[in-house]
Amino acid sequence: MIRAVLVTTVAAALLTACSAGTPPPAEQPSPVAAVDPSWSPAPVVPLASQPPPALVVDQPLPDQLAKGLVVIRYRAENLRIVPVYGPNALDVSPRIGHIHVTVDDAPWHWADASGEPLIIQGLPAGPHRVWIGLADPTHMILDSKTLDFVIPAR
């Protein structure tokens, strides 16, 4: 009986406090209105039109080259790097793809969809060339860059 009275009293006090509380704050401006207009649209909805994809590649990190390790940072613009392949993926919007990489004009390449920097090791000292191609899900190259660098003798 005492417990029921206590619960009823607490509930009544909470109801009074909530109904007599201060009014909600005035509506704040939408955060969308404050977003930088140079930002790309959020990659979660189909886009009516898309600018062409582009590949941006940095030169290998020099301090790592001195150790015989090739670390190449890259990014894709107007394309998301994801491990999705095949012709049906061409209809995905915003656009998706991956990269192809060839070292020293080899007759073969590998594909990478991690979006992480490329790390190549085991190359001998001397000049080298790395070709990076930005590819769509069907492996068609949309943009490419070639880097020439030298691994110093150690």
Side-chain angles (χ1 to χ4, degrees):
M1 173 79 171
I2 295 176
R3 177 181 266 168
V5 171
L6 182 60
V7 169
T8 303
T9 305
V10 169
L14 284 173
L15 181 61
T16 302
C18 290
S19 62
T22 59
E27 190 171 314
Q28 298 295 318
S30 167
V32 174
V35 171
D36 184 342
S38 67
W39 281 15
S40 300
V44 294
V45 295
L47 301 175
S49 65
Q50 300 179 61
L55 180 63
V56 178
V57 179
D58 289 344
Q59 285 293 319
L61 299 175
D63 55 333
Q64 298 302 312
L65 273 180
K67 298 175 185 177
L69 188 64
V70 182
V71 179
I72 302 171
R73 298 180 306 176
Y74 71 91
R75 76 175 188 277
E77 294 181 346
N78 308 314
L79 180 142
R80 290 181 297 148
I81 301 289
V82 294
V84 178
Y85 306 95
N88 291 341
L90 290 172
D91 295 332
V92 173
S93 175
R95 188 183 295 118
I96 61 174
H98 59 280
I99 62 169
H100 290 190
V101 181
T102 302
V103 177
D104 291 337
D105 299 319
W108 54 272
H109 67 268
W110 75 86
D112 181 77
S114 70
E116 297 295 324
L118 292 173
I119 300 173
I120 305 168
Q121 62 183 21
L123 295 176
H128 295 279
R129 172 174 284 172
V130 172
W131 174 86
I132 304 169
L134 186 62
D136 74 10
T138 65
H139 305 283
M140 185 176 113
I141 301 302
L142 305 169
D143 191 15
S144 68
K145 300 289 187 267
T146 301
L147 299 174
D148 291 306
F149 56 90
V150 175
I151 295 180
R154 291 183 285 155

